[in-house]
Amino acid sequence: MHAPAPGWSIAADVVVVGSGVAGLTAALRCEAAGLTTVVVTKARLDDGSTRWAQGGIAAALGDGDTPEQHLDDTLVAGAGLCDEEAVRLLVTEGPDAVRRLIATGAHFDESAEGGLALTREGGHHRRRIAHAGGDATGAEISRALVDAVRARGLRTVENALVLDLLTDAEGRAAGVTLHVMGEGRHDGVGAVHAPAVVLATGGMGQVFSATTNPAVSTGDGVALALRAGAEVSDLEFVQFHPTVLFLGPDAEGQQPLVSEAVRGEGAHLVDADGVRFMRGQHELAELAPRDVVAKGIMRRMREQDAEHMYLDARHFGAAMWERRFPTILAACRAHGIDPVTEPVPVAPAAHYASGGVRTDSRGRTTVPGLYACGEVACTGVHGANRLASNSLLEGLVYAERIAADIAAHGGAEDGAQGLRTRVPRPLPQSDRPGHPLLAPEARFAIQRIMTRGAGVLRSEASLTEAAAGLEALHTEALDALEENGKTAEPGVDTWEATNLLCVARVLVAAARRREETRGCHWREDRPERDDTRWRRHLVVTLNPDRTLAVHPTDGTDFPETLPPQAPQEQ
């Protein structure tokens, strides 16, 4: 992207971009392995999506539960598109990863007997969701990891928007460029030079008008990876959380989430007449996988020409609401709704990207030296629909695997810097921008286009309209660049708008290509699941001429990202 030349630089073994559960876990494990590690984050260390997670973290920790049962539930939720080996790694390594998180300092709610208090969420046949502070699990995990990072003195750069990947002459990752937004240690654009780059930038929910994601979730990591030549996959599978507090038809930006754990504890979905409409639609009723519940809500809304449905948990009583769901209770009351005495109006909103930058079991992308974990990554775990509370676990497990891989494949030492690996020499960046910047107001145009054409309900007509609208924005910016070399002024607003357009184009291209309904991809014009043609992933790359290349895999298992590496002698 068009940006000023870096005016300062930092050298490190590893640069981790993002400070949620995935990023901070990767950073702590790399530091523990003796690697000089720098954490770059877009806001403050505790400002990512992790702290907004309410329900909890899923793992086979309860009596009678097993990783195999967790695997089965994950595969069912993934609607035939999970990479089974990736899921097996998740569920078998997950319990110990949670125990290590507890050892790091995270405090989870306990039962009366003194063990972990476990709840149940949609798609799970057992109580296996560990939670903290009732419904403040993410906030507690974030607190524990941030405290650990600060206690160990890891170098951090806050309020820094990552711009582009640096590469060396062999095409390997050589660091990143970034812009510090006024409150960090450095001013303006700089660079972190490192042979290992870990993307943990979170999601892209801000591509839609209404989302549970914070304002920083603008798809920066996916866009960076695409510009660097990496493959992305499964971006059409955006999970719309079924129960988001309905604040009106024109509500935009981050919306309050009403955790699935509320239904796990016995709340009912009802229409305006008090009818439980999920009964008979799935054996688990309100606790069906999220795509099933979101579709059930949307169908009932269309049948009754309603803008929302209701979540009824009045039978909990005030004491349970205050003890178990204090965060949700406060959010509802702040908007004039008291769940103790009235049903809560809810409707689906964009929540989680099941796809992202394609990785292997060690978090390696198709660009050597570039890793990805957490919501920005596509490990194959989630398939066509993420199972509730598997996201925090995936961040933990795959971050640890990335750190182990980086530690095993370190290069020669540089004693002057105190680094284990030789700092690579990045290729100089061109003065002429390869990707034009969009004006800040394009962000809202993108969101309206995506909400109208690529939201919960999609069709060939709606997706074609969305593709045309996005292409018009892209062409306008491209024409201005090619005709007179002009582009919008570099800045946070223009960089974010440009990233949003990039991920929106990929999402729509994949959604148009996938001519079926599967998981959280719902095509009204193709209402059936088609395993014969579409039980495969769609992989997207960005061509040098800025067009998109979309191709399917041969099956549900991803091909290798990179050839095997042998550990180097230390």
Side-chain angles (χ1 to χ4, degrees):
M1 289 193 294
H2 183 46
W8 52 269
S9 65
I10 299 171
D13 291 319
V14 186
V15 55
V16 177
V17 187
S19 60
V21 62
L24 294 188
T25 298
L28 287 166
R29 297 293 179 268
C30 285
E31 186 269 345
L35 298 164
T36 303
T37 305
V38 173
V39 177
V40 173
T41 189
K42 194 172 179 180
R44 297 187 305 274
L45 277 181
D46 61 352
D47 246 357
S49 293
T50 291
R51 77 181 181 96
W52 297 100
Q54 295 174 344
I57 185 166
L61 295 162
D63 291 340
D65 198 4
T66 64
E68 199 68 27
Q69 293 176 71
H70 190 183
L71 180 141
D72 289 343
D73 286 344
T74 300
L75 295 180
V76 169
L81 269 195
C82 296
D83 183 322
E84 185 167 342
E85 184 55 33
V87 179
R88 195 170 298 279
L89 288 173
L90 178 82
V91 299
T92 55
E93 297 181 11
D96 283 343
V98 173
R99 294 183 185 102
R100 284 188 289 273
L101 178 62
I102 293 171
T104 301
H107 302 292
F108 288 90
D109 296 338
E110 295 184 350
S111 65
E113 294 75 31
L116 285 176
L118 301 174
T119 190
R120 188 175 161 205
E121 293 184 355
H124 294 272
H125 282 79
R126 283 190 173 273
R127 286 183 170 263
R128 64 168 64 99
I129 316 300
H131 49 83
D135 58 357
T137 310
E140 170 59 16
I141 290 173
S142 181
R143 179 207 62 76
L145 292 174
V146 169
D147 285 355
V149 163
R150 288 175 173 157
R152 297 181 192 181
L154 268 72
R155 188 166 189 175
T156 62
V157 183
E158 296 180 284
N159 303 294
L161 170 62
V162 67
L163 299 176
D164 282 305
L165 184 74
L166 296 171
T167 54
D168 63 17
E170 284 76 45
R172 293 186 54 85
V176 293
T177 56
L178 59 147
H179 172 76
V180 180
M181 298 178 277
E183 298 179 21
R185 300 180 184 177
H186 305 274
D187 294 322
V189 174
V192 180
H193 296 148
V197 176
V198 181
L199 293 180
T201 52
M204 56 183 201
Q206 290 291 325
V207 78
F208 295 96
S209 296
T211 177
T212 62
N213 289 190
V216 295
S217 298
T218 52
D220 307 323
V222 172
L224 173 150
L226 279 163
R227 289 193 297 270
E231 294 180 357
V232 304
S233 187
D234 294 356
L235 231 58
E236 68 269 35
F237 296 116
V238 175
Q239 189 174 82
F240 288 78
H241 198 288
T243 53
V244 176
L245 186 62
F246 181 74
L247 300 180
D250 299 321
E252 294 184 336
Q254 186 178 8
Q255 311 291 299
L257 177 67
V258 182
S259 170
E260 199 153 328
V262 178
R263 281 174 280 139
E265 296 290 355
H268 305 139
L269 280 166
V270 299
D271 60 19
D273 298 322
V275 176
R276 286 183 65 184
F277 56 88
M278 283 305 298
R279 281 179 166 172
Q281 294 199 37
H282 192 277
E283 61 167 335
L284 297 176
E286 285 94 350
L287 285 177
R290 285 179 179 172
D291 64 309
V292 176
V293 179
K295 290 170 186 174
I297 291 173
M298 293 298 295
R299 286 193 190 100
R300 196 65 156 195
M301 286 166 56
R302 288 197 298 179
E303 289 169 2
Q304 300 187 342
D305 193 25
E307 294 179 322
H308 60 81
M309 290 288 108
Y310 293 93
L311 189 64
D312 191 352
R314 289 174 290 180
H315 55 285
F316 284 4
M320 180 173 173
W321 267 110
E322 291 166 1
R323 172 184 58 81
R324 182 69 178 83
F325 301 111
T327 307
I328 298 169
L329 179 64
C332 289
R333 284 176 170 171
H335 290 283
I337 301 157
D338 190 348
V340 177
T341 60
E342 60 187 318
V344 179
V346 293
H351 180 58
Y352 189 88
S354 293
V357 186
R358 189 171 82 78
T359 75
D360 64 10
S361 62
R362 291 180 280 176
R364 301 184 304 169
T365 74
T366 51
V367 175
L370 178 65
Y371 297 78
C373 56
E375 191 173 354
V376 70
C378 181
T379 62
V381 159
H382 304 307
N385 181 53
R386 175 176 68 90
L387 180 65
S389 289
N390 268 357
S391 51
L392 292 174
L393 189 71
E394 183 197 32
L396 272 181
V397 169
Y398 280 86
E400 291 188 342
R401 295 185 70 82
I402 285 172
D405 191 72
I406 295 173
H409 298 103
E413 72 285 348
D414 183 339
Q417 293 289 331
L419 308 178
R420 275 186 52 185
T421 51
R422 182 174 290 111
V423 177
R425 184 186 298 275
L427 291 173
Q429 294 182 293
S430 172
D431 292 333
R432 181 177 174 81
H435 297 271
L437 300 181
L438 273 68
E441 56 268 22
R443 176 177 185 145
F444 305 105
I446 294 164
Q447 291 172 334
R448 287 190 290 271
I449 289 168
M450 293 297 289
T451 298
R452 185 170 58 246
V456 180
L457 301 179
R458 302 167 180 175
S459 67
E460 177 60 33
S462 76
L463 291 167
T464 298
E465 182 181 351
L470 297 174
E471 194 60 31
L473 293 172
H474 176 68
T475 301
E476 182 182 356
L478 197 58
D479 288 347
L481 176 65
E482 293 182 348
E483 288 173 10
N484 53 34
K486 289 187 177 180
T487 186
E489 280 296 313
V492 173
D493 290 344
T494 57
W495 288 320
E496 286 187 333
T498 302
N499 285 338
L500 284 171
L501 178 62
C502 179
V503 297
R505 291 177 65 216
V506 174
L507 192 162
V508 169
R512 290 183 74 188
R513 183 76 173 268
R514 184 173 289 280
E515 297 177 336
E516 65 160 354
T517 289
R518 182 185 297 270
C520 49
H521 172 64
W522 187 5
R523 286 279 298 259
E524 292 183 280
D525 56 331
R526 304 281 183 170
E528 302 301 322
R529 173 170 152 177
D530 183 354
D531 280 350
T532 302
R533 293 182 60 214
W534 291 112
R535 194 160 181 245
R536 61 193 72 242
H537 303 276
L538 291 174
V539 175
V540 183
T541 53
L542 191 63
N543 294 322
D545 65 357
R546 308 176 189 87
T547 59
L548 299 173
V550 185
H551 68 272
T553 60
D554 293 333
T556 56
D557 294 340
F558 282 121
E560 284 293 315
T561 56
L562 296 169
Q565 292 175 284
Q568 297 184 12
E569 294 183 5
Q570 299 297 317

